[in-house]
Amino acid sequence: MGTEEIRAILTICLLASYADGDKHDREREQIRQVAQGLAQDQQVNLPGLYQDVLMRRVQLADVLPRLASEQSRQLAYEMAVCVCEADGQVSAPEQAFLAQLRDALGQSTSAGFAAQADALATAPLQTPSVAVPQWAPVGQPAPHPGAADALASEPAARRTGTLPAAEMDRKILNASILNGAIELLPENLSTLAIIPLQMRLVYQIGQTYGYELDRGHIKDLLAALGVGLTSQYLEEAGRKLLGGLLGKAGKGLLGGLGRQAVSSGMSFASTYALGHVANQYYAGGRTLSTQMLRDAYQHVMADGRQLQTRYLPQMQETARGLNTAKIMQMVRGC
């Protein structure tokens, strides 16, 4: 796949992210930062692609002719579907954009992919996940003072949940390893599973402290932390594409450190930070300010980026036992 096809696919992803015209300034800023962070290859120049889309200097019809191969056309459609599904719902304008894209690309046979993506994005939060590998020893890693300090003034009774602290730490770490493993897989649909699994982790943590949450509550928490669902997905999928990881399953890419060096490791770190900050938030009776939440998230996120190298072997081993069917089962709780 050549540079022009990669540029075209990423442009389509950005067009998909703005298809409904309902983007908060904060989300625009997040996507801008994603574009800058993904610019590992100056030939691609993602910040330039972002500016072209934002300033409406490029339309769908302008980029479609650049998709010369069947592989690139299919990949463009699938990535656009996943971007639109990232926030758990596809609006009417997004549906219209995807229909236009599908027809223009001749991807009428991809309806099954769209259905699977929708099933992943809308899976019930309360459905229990199937068993996943348990890598983290009880009590590992140690609690993070960056998040814990924010609760220093909270009454001790509020910090009492139904799980011992060591068990909660292990639950969060295992979820982080699983999502880090999913990020290593080449299939685009698998990447879409990361966000629902993160949301389910937050739901389960809230339950531990007696809170029955819905998607709206969880999205509000993620927004308070500065986590944009669409931009998070775009970063994960875009890094895979730029790294040449998609479409190369079964070619030994899980065997060494090279693949993780190309991949961002973001899924492990973001899951790790989200879990620990959500734990502190609900343990503290949901009284932390937005700034306190955001500061704690950034602090633990930095810790997660450091830890992901330590747990890379577990992520790689977990990834070897995963495929799209198994991930669908995990997310849907089958």
Side-chain angles (χ1 to χ4, degrees):
M1 188 178 297
T3 301
E4 280 303 306
E5 286 182 300
I6 292 175
R7 285 171 52 87
I9 292 171
L10 291 172
T11 299
I12 288 172
C13 285
L14 289 167
L15 288 168
S17 72
Y18 286 102
D20 56 10
D22 184 23
K23 297 297 175 192
H24 191 278
D25 287 344
R26 181 173 55 214
E27 189 164 4
R28 289 180 184 271
E29 174 62 17
Q30 287 172 337
I31 294 178
R32 184 190 66 79
Q33 292 175 358
V34 167
Q36 290 180 336
L38 289 178
Q40 300 173 355
D41 185 339
Q42 293 303 313
Q43 291 179 318
V44 173
N45 187 17
L46 267 165
L49 299 184
Y50 170 84
Q51 291 295 331
D52 287 343
V53 171
L54 183 62
M55 302 302 294
R56 299 184 179 181
R57 293 193 292 254
V58 62
Q59 303 295 326
L60 188 57
D62 300 325
V63 296
L64 292 177
R66 304 177 197 168
L67 300 173
S69 67
E70 177 61 27
Q71 178 193 23
S72 65
R73 289 192 291 271
Q74 179 179 350
L75 184 57
Y77 176 72
E78 292 182 358
M79 290 188 72
V81 168
C82 291
V83 167
C84 291
E85 291 277 9
D87 61 357
Q89 60 184 5
V90 181
S91 65
E94 287 173 331
Q95 291 175 355
F97 175 85
L98 291 175
Q100 178 187 5
L101 178 63
R102 183 178 61 247
D103 292 344
L105 295 175
Q107 293 295 313
S108 58
T109 60
S110 296
F113 179 90
Q116 286 181 306
D118 187 62
L120 285 175
T122 60
L125 293 170
Q126 67 272 20
T127 303
S129 298
V130 297
V132 299
Q134 301 295 299
W135 290 109
V138 174
Q140 296 288 333
H144 288 276
D149 285 350
L151 287 175
S153 61
E154 291 296 329
R158 284 187 175 180
R159 299 197 295 271
T160 301
T162 59
L163 280 181
E167 290 288 342
M168 180 62 77
D169 288 344
R170 182 170 64 172
K171 179 183 184 68
I172 293 169
L173 183 54
N174 283 322
S176 303
I177 290 171
L178 174 62
N179 279 338
I182 292 173
E183 185 181 15
L184 293 176
L185 298 177
E187 296 85 4
N188 208 36
L189 186 63
S190 297
T191 305
L192 186 61
I194 293 169
I195 293 171
L197 289 173
Q198 288 177 333
M199 295 180 72
R200 182 171 295 163
L201 175 64
V202 174
Y203 175 84
Q204 292 172 344
I205 291 171
Q207 276 193 319
T208 299
Y209 298 101
Y211 295 102
E212 288 294 329
L213 308 175
D214 58 24
R215 289 181 180 276
H217 289 113
I218 296 174
K219 289 179 182 179
D220 288 345
L221 175 61
L222 267 62
L225 297 176
V227 180
L229 297 180
T230 299
S231 57
Q232 182 183 344
Y233 174 78
L234 187 60
E235 181 170 14
E236 291 160 356
R239 284 188 183 274
K240 283 188 175 184
L241 179 60
L242 288 180
L245 302 181
L246 292 173
K248 295 185 179 179
K251 295 186 179 180
L253 292 177
L254 294 176
L257 298 177
R259 181 165 189 178
Q260 184 66 16
V262 176
S263 180
S264 67
M266 203 63 162
S267 298
F268 175 93
S270 62
T271 304
Y272 187 77
L274 180 60
H276 278 286
V277 175
N279 183 48
Q280 300 298 333
Y281 177 61
Y282 293 114
R286 301 195 295 188
T287 58
L288 301 181
S289 70
T290 297
Q291 190 59 52
M292 292 173 73
L293 283 169
R294 192 162 294 187
D295 290 345
Y297 179 79
Q298 292 301 322
H299 181 93
V300 185
M301 185 76 164
D303 291 339
R305 290 192 181 101
Q306 295 294 323
L307 285 171
Q308 67 92 12
T309 302
R310 180 194 306 177
Y311 289 100
L312 176 59
Q314 290 94 322
M315 285 186 272
Q316 290 175 319
E317 185 170 344
T318 301
R320 292 187 182 96
L322 293 176
N323 56 39
T324 299
K326 288 183 178 180
I327 293 170
M328 290 285 291
Q329 290 178 338
M330 286 183 186
V331 177
R332 299 170 71 179
C334 299

